[in-house]
């Protein structure tokens, strides 16, 4: 079912600081299923777990594909503390998945690569515009408001956010 288009020019309803977490997987050897398939399958489980627990700090995410070999998730978090806490909790999905990945990576010798980047974006240092789009990216994570509420140009939206 197609996502509902929000008509007109809109912006994300985000307030305050935002943490943007990028994480990806690259399949270096396609036929080495045992090296990359478990890591590939663990991400949807972790995203489900985080989405079901409202206090996790995950605001939303978008899964992207970079062709046959690359998979990428952009995540939006309330704060770095909750992101880091999730990464280290023994009773949550990330820690056992990370341990298992490391074990397979040592045995697989480069068959699969993973990466992540964490960006702490202070209030006033981000802006967005979505024109006749479904809620996407930061707006899908935080909500959509008409662009006029925050300013008609990127410069206005960035200035207004600093006040």
């Amino acid at each position: 079912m197609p996502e509902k288009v929000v008509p007109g020019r809109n912006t994300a309803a985000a307030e305050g600081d935002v943490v943007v977490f990028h994480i990806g997987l690259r399949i270096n050897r396609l036929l080495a299923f045992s090296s990359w398939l478990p890591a590939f399958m663990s991400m949807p489980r972790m995203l489900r777990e985080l989405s079901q627990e409202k206090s996790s700090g995950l605001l939303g995410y978008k899964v992207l594909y970079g062709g046959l070999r690359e998979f990428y998730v952009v995540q939006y978090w309330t704060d770095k503390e909750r992101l880091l806490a999730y990464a280290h909790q023994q009773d949550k999905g990330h820690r056992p998945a990370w341990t298992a990945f490391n074990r397979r990576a040592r045995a697989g010798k480069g068959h699969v690569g993973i990466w992540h980047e964490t960006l702490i974006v202070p209030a006033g240092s981000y802006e967005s515009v979505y024109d006749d789009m479904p809620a996407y990216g930061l707006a899908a994570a935080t909500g959509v408001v008409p662009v006029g509420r925050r300013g008609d140009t990127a410069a206005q939206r960035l200035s207004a956010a600093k006040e």
Side-chain angles (χ1 to χ4, degrees):
M1 177 176 219
E3 296 175 84
K4 184 179 184 285
V5 170
V6 180
R9 293 183 74 226
N10 296 285
T11 189
E15 298 283 341
D17 297 350
V18 174
V19 175
V20 182
F21 182 67
H22 300 245
I23 186 163
L25 175 139
R26 184 180 192 283
I27 301 168
N28 296 327
R29 191 160 167 218
L30 284 171
L31 297 179
F33 296 106
S34 63
S35 293
W36 60 264
L37 190 59
F40 179 84
M41 299 301 290
S42 67
M43 184 55 71
R45 285 193 300 271
M46 287 185 272
L47 292 170
R48 242 185 336 273
E49 176 180 65
L50 287 162
S51 296
Q52 291 170 351
E53 189 175 314
K54 296 301 176 200
S55 65
S56 70
L58 179 71
L59 296 169
Y61 64 89
K62 181 72 176 175
V63 178
L64 303 166
Y65 303 97
L68 184 60
R69 294 178 181 266
E70 295 180 10
F71 303 89
Y72 172 28
V73 182
V74 179
Q75 299 176 8
Y76 300 94
W77 288 76
T78 56
D79 54 77
K80 69 181 178 190
E81 291 76 17
R82 289 192 232 187
L83 170 63
L84 295 171
Y86 178 73
H88 295 288
Q89 288 175 308
Q90 297 291 332
D91 62 333
K92 301 294 182 190
H94 177 267
R95 194 70 181 171
W98 179 242
T99 301
F101 173 80
N102 281 320
R103 190 171 41 256
R104 282 188 306 279
R106 280 190 296 279
K109 301 191 182 1
H111 295 167
V112 62
I114 60 168
W115 62 275
H116 79 258
E117 300 171 349
T118 306
L119 309 157
I120 312 298
V121 188
S125 297
Y126 60 89
E127 70 84 34
S128 59
V129 67
Y130 312 92
D131 199 345
D132 294 325
M133 285 281 297
Y136 197 89
L138 185 58
T142 63
V144 176
V145 296
V147 88
R149 288 194 196 167
R150 300 256 167 105
D152 288 321
T153 67
Q156 289 171 338
R157 288 188 295 280
L158 286 166
S159 309
K162 291 181 182 181
E163 295 171 358

